[in-house]
Amino acid sequence: MKIHKTADYETMGRKAADIVAAQITLKPDSVLGLATGSTPLGLYARLVERHKAGELDFARVRTVNLDEYEGLAAAHPQSYRFYMEQNLFSKTGICPGNTHLPDGLAADPAAECARYDAVIRGFGGIDLQLLGIGHDGHIGFNEPGGHFENDTHVAVLTPETIDANKRFFTSAAEVPRRAYTMGIRPIMLAGRVLVVVSGVDKADIVRRAFSGPVTPAVPASILQMHRDVTLVGDEAALGKLL
Ligand code: PGA
């Protein structure tokens, strides 16, 4: 595993953007696995800047996002489709047809999971998968106690995840209880994995994920078995890594 420790959130975003930009430059039709949440916002802002400066061409980039809340329409301000449109897609000239997320309003969840797996398989897998880590060790919405071999499935959010995500909603009651998530399998099959972490509140889970035992109780711990992981984090988040 490669580790880049940065002074703060700002430089974490810049370093992570360097890595994603290099991926796109070297392979302009890269399949990027993308993540939402607070942590990647700086990285996305830097990528948008580079695109606007004429340094980075997204025309052939293809994307598959990790997850989407069940029951939220694409236009819902808390849907992950909305987040991606706001923070990256609409600002980088990426071809809308090249961007993929699960459909939160799909009538048949099992069929939607199968459709999403077929999208990923159709791409021949993911070149670079971006990940944040939840305080409970989740990646995507692969919550503790799940199976490493899972493909796309509907996850029941843990109370901890609902609590962490309620900041984006008017109350915890409004946070959807279920979400579509890419499974661990396609993440582990990705050519490269880029993990971004920031803040002292992530220090314990970063230590458990990367210095502790590999266990479904800490889903991110499986990344210790991936052949090409880069961890980019600020000093606060990496402070307890052994
Ligand atoms: P965060 O979320 O970036 O908002 O901390 C990470 C996650 O839950 O995967």
Side-chain angles (χ1 to χ4, degrees):
M1 182 169 72
K2 298 187 242 352
I3 301 175
H4 295 280
K5 190 186 279 193
T6 68
D8 52 23
Y9 178 82
E10 167 71 18
T11 41
M12 179 207 70
R14 287 191 187 282
K15 182 68 203 174
D18 286 345
I19 294 168
V20 176
Q23 173 69 39
I24 295 171
T25 302
L26 292 171
K27 188 178 182 212
D29 65 345
S30 285
V31 178
L32 303 181
L34 297 179
T36 52
S38 304
T39 316
L41 286 171
L43 152 65
Y44 290 149
R46 302 291 82 75
L47 291 176
V48 168
E49 279 173 9
R50 285 170 185 228
H51 172 71
K52 289 196 188 308
E55 297 168 6
L56 201 54
D57 184 0
F58 283 79
R60 295 170 60 202
V61 169
R62 298 163 295 167
T63 68
V64 279
N65 261 80
L66 282 169
D67 42 20
E68 179 62 283
Y69 287 118
E70 190 188 52
L72 295 195
H76 189 290
Q78 297 311 332
S79 79
Y80 289 158
R81 165 61 76 177
F82 192 89
Y83 170 109
M84 292 307 303
E85 296 292 344
Q86 289 284 109
N87 294 303
L88 191 74
F89 296 162
S90 69
K91 298 173 176 166
T92 49
I94 193 166
C95 174
N98 284 352
T99 67
H100 301 270
L101 286 89
D103 175 3
L105 294 187
D108 180 343
E112 179 58 11
C113 291
R115 181 193 71 79
Y116 206 61
D117 286 331
V119 168
I120 299 168
R121 269 199 311 275
F123 283 151
I126 295 162
D127 293 309
L128 173 67
Q129 176 66 53
L130 173 66
L131 296 174
I133 299 183
H135 294 100
D136 61 0
H138 70 216
I139 46 179
F141 278 122
N142 292 280
E143 298 280 28
H147 298 283
F148 288 146
E149 67 274 25
N150 270 347
D151 283 308
T152 303
H153 58 284
V154 177
V156 178
L157 274 51
T158 61
E160 189 166 16
T161 297
I162 291 168
D163 192 56
N165 290 6
K166 74 180 183 207
R167 68 193 194 276
F168 300 113
F169 294 82
T170 38
S171 72
E174 284 190 16
V175 183
R177 269 30 188 181
R178 289 153 50 101
Y180 290 95
T181 184
M182 193 189 285
I184 300 278
R185 187 205 308 270
I187 295 171
M188 289 302 287
L189 292 176
R192 304 170 66 199
V193 174
L194 172 60
V195 184
V196 287
V197 286
S198 170
V200 69
D201 57 308
K202 292 285 173 74
D204 282 321
I205 195 60
V206 168
R207 179 184 49 76
R208 290 176 66 204
F210 295 105
S211 305
V214 175
T215 166
V218 183
S221 66
I222 190 66
L223 298 172
Q224 294 179 40
M225 311 305 290
H226 193 282
R227 65 187 178 281
D228 190 348
V229 175
T230 303
L231 174 62
V232 182
D234 57 24
E235 285 172 7
L238 301 189
K240 293 187 177 174
L241 205 53
L242 300 178

